[in-house]
Structure formats: structure tokens, C-alpha cells
């Protein structure tokens, strides 16, 4: 993991993803340590997500946010994400930074996450320190700063997933991509579990809480420390080769005898004839690029055309991902409320000191433990996925994730019991691990298939990069948030009970099970 070895790796592998020529050239194998370092960003991100899930509602209530603005808070980020996610993905495909294509975007989004957390966890305290006299103006500023912080955090945290996945795909061989995705899911679960556990501690009565002021400041301290450490480790994990304007010239000069092919004195990645063919292709592409210099410039028109012209199997995978996240978020966003109202029979609208309200709060606390069980089991299942993959394949894993989640949520809705619900929370972990790994493994399979076809001259990628494909997949999460935010509130009001959310999640997941079996294409 030394700096000199990192420089050697950069020399050995130069990404020509801009032209789609060397995507099929396998990068060197990565060690387990490097892949774990790369996964630390997912650990930190999920830790911060868990802190938000535990504290954002108390924060919003404490600053006096009107109920009429709740839907606006939760819809700003997914709407922006759905619109801009592919733009960021395509921009990272064309980034010419000396630091690489993906890491500048990951660093920028990580800083935005920290700023968002600082605003929504500390905004009320900062405004109170600036405006000493209590007034309506203080409340308005506190609400505004808190809303801005929540929207900024969600925006950056949702966006950062696409560049992280594209970064993994750029610098890893096909086998390491699969291993890396499993490590991502493993550390995602661990990060969420740790975040929920720390959020369940009553910091206000401990020494650290008294030292920093409030439990909100304590959680910001832990969140900022964990995420900053994880982000630095991630950015130092695997070096990226920069995408330069004159990259084709340097390739033409150094390709026949350069380090791209030579490793330990041998031809690692292809034969001499293969290299000659690649040189001819680069020369043709170079002439084409001089004649049509605009071809590789990213414009909104070309971006939309690229997205709309995606092959059918990519679109079906995106639809499947949308269905899966719609089912998962429908259950997860309302799960603690379901535990408080349906399982514990509490009343969130009762007076604060009443028995009904205290019972409801107890149900919410137990619901947080259920979410912790989900995160832990998600990590465990992501490890066993590697074993199951050799027996049932990606298709079996994908279908099984949707099926188990659909059946589990269905049983919870039909038989709301404390102990059975907590046990079935483990099936939520199966679904989350599936959503974090299998669709991206399929993207990797599709790209590998296209690279083999490009190598034989049978097909072309049409100018698409890994970044925009990962972004198109992850923006389905934002679209699912929009659908859940807009539709489920109306559904609950119409049904008069939050139990309809769990039943709806089960129905959507079972429909998704059928869709993944019939329409999603799996590479043999």
C-alpha cells in the first residue's frame, strides 16, 4: 500500500475509457486490503445515513418546522437527484483531472455531506448564538438552515454512490469488481448498524453530551470524525490514471514497448498482434476525433440522447431497480411509525406525557433496533452471497432478494407481533444487500460483454461510460423516493392506517420478483 506501488499501478494501467478501447484490458488484481479501503466510503456514508434517520425528525420538530413543509423537505433532494444524477455521472466520465475521473467528484460530494450534517445538526444552535433574543425571525432562520442542511446532505449522500461504484469499475478487474461490491455491501451494513447503535444512546446524560452541549452536537462530532476518516481512506485506496487530452498520442508513442503490456517482463494483457490492431484503431479514432472534435464533448442534448438510447436490458434493469427501491423505502421510511402505532398500539397524536404517547415512543425505539438488525443481517448476507452465487447465480440472488422481502413484509402486515417482526427484520437485510450488489454486478457483466464484443469488432458502446450507467441506475433511488413521498402519504390518509404501507411494500416487492425473473437479462 506504499506510494511507490501506487505509482507503479498507475503506469501499468492507463484508462482509455474516453474512447472505449482499453476498457476490456484487465487492470491488475487488487488485494483484499485495497478493496476494504475502497469500501470504507460506504461505511462512512451509511453511518451518517443512520444518524440522519435517528435524529432528523427530532431536529425538525425541535426547530418548529410546520407539518405543511415536511413533504417539501423530503422531496427536494430526490427531485434534484433524479434530474442531475446522470449529469454528474457523465461529467465524471469526461473529467480530465490529474487526480483521476471519479475522486474529484467523490471528494466534492463528501464535503457537501459534511456541510449538510453541520447545518441540520448544529443550525439551531448557531442561529440561537447569533440571534440572542427569542423571536419569530429566529424560528424562521432555524427552520431554513435545518431544511437546507437536510436537503444538502441527502443530495450529496445520494449522488456519491454513483461515482464510488464507477471508481470501483474503472480500477478493478472483473473478479475484483464482484469482490468489491460484496465488501461495499458488507461495510454498508456495518456502518448502518453502528450508526443506529450510537443513535440509541442517551448522550444528553453522559459526560460527552454535557461537554459538547447537546446530543445533536455529539452525533455531529462522531459523524464528522467517522465520515472524514473513511473518506480519506477511500480516496487513498486505489490510484486512478488521469484522462488526458493527449492520451492517445502518448499511447501511440509508448504502446508497443510501454508498461501497459509489460508486467514482470511478459505480455500480460494481450498478444503483439492484438496490440497492433489496437494501434490501428486508435489511429483511426484519432483522425476521426480531429475531424469531429465535438463528438466527445458533453452537452445536455448528447447526454439525454445517450440515456434515451440505452440498450433495452439496461432500461429493464433500471425499472427493476426502481421497483425494488420503491418497495424497500416504502417499508423502511415508515417502519418505526408502524412499530409504534400498529405493533405497540401507541398514539403519536396523544398528549406528550400520556400513556399512549409513551407506548408509541417505546415502539419507535424497538423499531430502531429492528433497523439495526436489518443492517447487521445485510452485512452477514453480503458475505454469504459469494457462496450462494456459485449455486443459484445472479438471477437466483436477484429473485430471492425480492421474494423473501415480499413474503417477510407481508407476514409482518398480516400478523403484527413484536418478536416475529424483529425476527423478520433480518429479511430486510437480504433485500438491502441485494439492491446494493446484484444490479451493479449485472452492470459489470453487461460492460464485460460489450468489451468482448468491441474487442472482436462486433459492437460499440455508443460513447457510453461506466459513470453514466451507474448514475442512471442510482438515480432510480431518487425516483423511488419521489414516488414514495408523493404516493404513500395519500395512501395512508385514504386507508386510515399505516399498516397499508407494509402491505403495499409486500405487493410491490412480489411484483418486482416477477419482473426480475421475466424481463431482466442475465449474462450467461
Amino acid at each position: 500500500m506504499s506510494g511507490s506501488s501506487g505509482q507503479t499501478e498507475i503506469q501499468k494501467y492507463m484508462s482509455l475509457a474516453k474512447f472505449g478501447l482499453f476498457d476490456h484490458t484487465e487492470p491488475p488484481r487488487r488485494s483484499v486490503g485495497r478493496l476494504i479501503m475502497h469500501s470504507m466510503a460506504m461505511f462512512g456514508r451509511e453511518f451518517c445515513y443512520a444518524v440522519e434517520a435517528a435524529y432528523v425528525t427530532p431536529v425538525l420538530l425541535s426547530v418548529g418546522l410546520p407539518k405543511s413543509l415536511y413533504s417539501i423537505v423530503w422531496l427536494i433532494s430526490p427531485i434534484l437527484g433524479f434530474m442531475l444524477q446522470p449529469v454528474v455521472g457523465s461529467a465524471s466520465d469526461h473529467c480530465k483531472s490529474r487526480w483521476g475521473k471519479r475522486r474529484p467528484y467523490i471528494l466534492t460530494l463528501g464535503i457537501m455531506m459534511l456541510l449538510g450534517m453541520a447545518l441540520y445538526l448544529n443550525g439551531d444552535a448557531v442561529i440561537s448564538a447569533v440571534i440572542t433574543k427569542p423571536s419569530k425571525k429566529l424560528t424562521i432562520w432555524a427552520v431554513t438552515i435545518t431544511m437546507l442542511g437536510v436537503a444538502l446532505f441527502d443530495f450529496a449522500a445520494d449522488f456519491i454512490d454513483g461515482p464510488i461504484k464507477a471508481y470501483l469499475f474503472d480500477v478493478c478487474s472483473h473478479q475484483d469488481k464482484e469482490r468489491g461490491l460484496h465488501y461495499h455491501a458488507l461495510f454498508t451494513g456495518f456502518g448502518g448498524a453502528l450508526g443506529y447503535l450510537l443513535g440509541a444512546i442517551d448522550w444528553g446524560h453522559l459526560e460527552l453530551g454535557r461537554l459538547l452541549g447537546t446530543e445533536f452536537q455529539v452525533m455531529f462530532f462522531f459523524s464528522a470524525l467517522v465520515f472524514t476518516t473513511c473518506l480519506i481512506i477511500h480516496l487513498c485506496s486505489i490510484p486512478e490514471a488521469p484522462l488526458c487530452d493527449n492520451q492517445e498520442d502518448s499511447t501511440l508513442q509508448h504502446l508497443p514497448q510501454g508498461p501497459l503490456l509489460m508486467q514482470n517482463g511478459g505480455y500480460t494483457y494481450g498478444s503483439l498482434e492484438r496490440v497492433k490492431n489496437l494501434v490501428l484503431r486508435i489511429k483511426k479514432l484519432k483522425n476521426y476525433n480531429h475531424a469531429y472534435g465535438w463528438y466527445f464533448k458533453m452537452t445536455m442534448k448528447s447526454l439525454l440522447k445517450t440515456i434515451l438510447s440505452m440498450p433495452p436490458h439496461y432500461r429493464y434493469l433500471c425499472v427493476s431497480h426502481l421497483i425494488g427501491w420503491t418497495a424497500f423505502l416504502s417499508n423502511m421510511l415508515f417502519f418505526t411509525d408502524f412499530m409504534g402505532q400498529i405493533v405497540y398500539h401507541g398514539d403519536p397524536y396523544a398528549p406528550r406525557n400520556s400513556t399512549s404517547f409513551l407506548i408509541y415512543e417505546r415502539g419507535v425505539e424497538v423499531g430502531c433496533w429492528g433497523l439495526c438488525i436489518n443492517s447487521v443481517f445485510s452485512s452477514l448476507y453480503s458475505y454469504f452471497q459469494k457462496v450462494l452465487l456459485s449455486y443459484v447465480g445472479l438471477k437466483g440472488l436477484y429473485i430471492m432478494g425480492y421474494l423473501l422481502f415480499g413474503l417477510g413484509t407481508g407476514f409482518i402486515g398480516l400478523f403484527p407481533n413484536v418478536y416475529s417482526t424483529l425476527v423478520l427484520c433480518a429479511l430486510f437485510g437480504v433485500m438491502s444487500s441485494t439492491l446494493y450488489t446484484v444490479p451493479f454486478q449485472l452492470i459489470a457483466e453487461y460492460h464485460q460483454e460489450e468489451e468482448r464484443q468491441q474487442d472482436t469488432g462486433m459492437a460499440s458502446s455508443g460513447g457510453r461510460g461506466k459513470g453514466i450507467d451507474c448514475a442512471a441506475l442510482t438515480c432510480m433511488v431518487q425516483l423511488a423516493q419521489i414516488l414514495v413521498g408523493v404516493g404513500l402519504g395519500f395512501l395512508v390518509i385514504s386507508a386510515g392506517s399505516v399498516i397499508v404501507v407494509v402491505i403495499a411494500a409486500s405487493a410491490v416487492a412480489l411484483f418486482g420478483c416477477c419482473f426480475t425473473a421475466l424481463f431482466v437479462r442475465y449474462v450467461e
Side-chain angles (χ1 to χ4, degrees), residues 248 283-296:
E248 64 268 30
K283 288 181 177 178
K284 291 179 181 179
L285 182 58
K286 183 181 178 183
N287 294 331
Y288 181 81
N289 192 32
H290 285 316
Y292 304 97
W294 50 267
Y295 181 76
F296 292 112

Side-chain angles (χ1 to χ4, degrees), residues 467-510:
I468 196 171
D469 285 340
C470 290
L473 193 62
T474 54
C475 77
M476 293 298 104
V477 182
Q478 280 83 50
L479 183 55
Q481 290 179 22
I482 296 171
L483 294 177
V484 171
V486 172
L488 281 188
F490 175 77
L491 194 62
V492 171
I493 293 174
S494 301
S497 174
V498 76
I499 197 171
V500 70
V501 174
V502 179
I503 300 299
S506 175
V508 173
L510 293 176

Side-chain angles (χ1 to χ4, degrees), residues 153-167:
F153 173 81
D154 285 339
F155 176 83
D158 290 340
F159 262 54
I160 203 171
D161 189 49
I164 288 174
K165 293 295 192 298
Y167 176 19

Side-chain angles (χ1 to χ4, degrees), residues 101-127:
K101 293 195 297 181
R102 317 297 179 185
R103 288 188 290 179
Y105 287 88
I106 295 171
L107 176 61
T108 302
L109 292 168
I111 294 173
M112 291 172 62
M113 282 182 61
L114 289 171
L115 179 59
M117 283 192 296
L119 291 178
Y120 84 77
L121 286 174
N122 302 291
D124 188 26
V126 172
I127 296 299

Side-chain angles (χ1 to χ4, degrees), residues 139-457:
T139 301
I140 294 174
W141 273 107
V143 169
T144 302
I145 293 297
T146 304
M147 288 178 62
L148 178 62
V150 172
L152 183 63
F153 173 81
D154 285 339
F155 176 83
D158 290 340
F159 262 54
I160 203 171
D161 189 49
I164 288 174
K165 293 295 192 298
Y167 176 19
L168 177 73
F169 290 177
D170 283 343
V171 297
C172 290
S173 64
H174 186 71
Q175 293 82 359
D176 288 342
K177 291 174 189 177
E178 293 184 357
R179 289 200 302 155
L181 288 172
H182 286 302
Y183 283 123
H184 279 196
L186 180 69
F187 283 93
T188 294
F190 284 154
L194 182 60
Y196 287 124
L197 287 175
L198 288 178
I201 298 174
D202 186 6
W203 294 103
H205 293 84
L206 298 179
E207 184 63 29
L208 186 60
R210 288 190 288 269
L211 178 65
L212 295 178
T214 67
E215 58 184 349
F216 297 155
Q217 277 74 56
V218 173
M219 292 313 298
F220 173 72
F221 169 76
F222 279 119
S223 300
L225 179 63
V226 170
F227 182 73
T228 302
T229 304
C230 291
L231 184 64
I232 292 173
I233 294 173
H234 169 78
L235 294 175
C236 298
S237 60
I238 304 175
E240 280 189 284
L243 184 64
C244 302
D245 286 327
N246 61 346
Q247 198 166 20
E248 64 268 30
D249 295 327
S250 62
T251 304
L252 286 170
Q253 294 173 7
H254 302 291
L255 183 58
Q257 71 279 4
L260 179 67
L261 292 173
M262 299 297 293
Q263 185 175 3
N264 300 325
Y267 289 92
T268 304
Y269 302 128
S271 65
L272 186 59
E273 290 299 322
R274 182 182 179 188
V275 175
K276 291 180 179 178
N277 291 333
L278 289 174
V279 172
L280 292 175
R281 290 173 62 190
I282 294 174
K283 288 181 177 178
K284 291 179 181 179
L285 182 58
K286 183 181 178 183
N287 294 331
Y288 181 81
N289 192 32
H290 285 316
Y292 304 97
W294 50 267
Y295 181 76
F296 292 112
K297 293 181 180 179
M298 184 188 64
T299 64
M300 182 59 68
K301 181 179 179 180
S302 62
L303 175 62
L304 292 175
K305 183 178 179 181
T306 301
I307 295 173
L308 295 175
S309 61
M310 291 178 72
H313 51 281
Y314 282 93
R315 287 200 295 271
Y316 287 138
L317 182 60
C318 286
V319 173
S320 173
H321 205 52
L322 172 63
I323 295 171
W325 273 105
T326 301
F328 187 71
L329 291 175
S330 298
N331 181 71
M332 300 303 289
L333 293 180
F334 289 85
F335 181 71
T336 54
D337 189 46
F338 170 81
M339 288 291 291
Q341 290 196 57
I342 305 302
V343 178
Y344 273 79
H345 307 289
D347 184 5
Y349 303 105
R352 290 278 172 171
N353 295 323
S354 65
T355 303
S356 296
F357 185 81
L358 295 176
I359 291 175
Y360 173 79
E361 282 194 325
R362 175 58 181 166
V364 171
E365 291 175 2
V366 175
C368 288
W369 283 105
L371 295 179
C372 184
I373 293 172
N374 152 65
S375 297
V376 171
F377 202 82
S378 175
S379 294
L380 296 176
Y381 181 73
S382 66
Y383 178 79
F384 289 109
Q385 265 189 334
K386 294 184 289 186
V387 179
L388 292 174
L389 182 62
S390 59
Y391 292 98
V392 299
L394 284 176
K395 184 175 183 179
L397 286 177
Y398 210 11
I399 294 173
M400 186 166 60
Y402 282 66
L403 179 62
L404 292 178
F405 179 79
L407 293 176
T409 51
F411 279 118
I412 288 174
L414 295 175
F415 309 103
N417 176 271
V418 177
Y419 301 106
S420 63
T421 299
L422 290 177
V423 170
L424 290 172
C425 281
L427 299 183
F428 301 169
V430 174
M431 183 64 162
S432 61
S433 179
T434 299
L435 292 174
Y436 279 125
T437 55
V438 176
F440 292 98
Q441 285 182 264
L442 288 172
I443 286 284
E445 295 277 0
Y446 296 161
H447 274 279
Q448 187 188 43
E449 182 183 52
E450 289 176 359
E451 288 159 5
R452 286 197 297 262
Q453 293 174 349
Q454 290 174 31
D455 191 30
T456 58

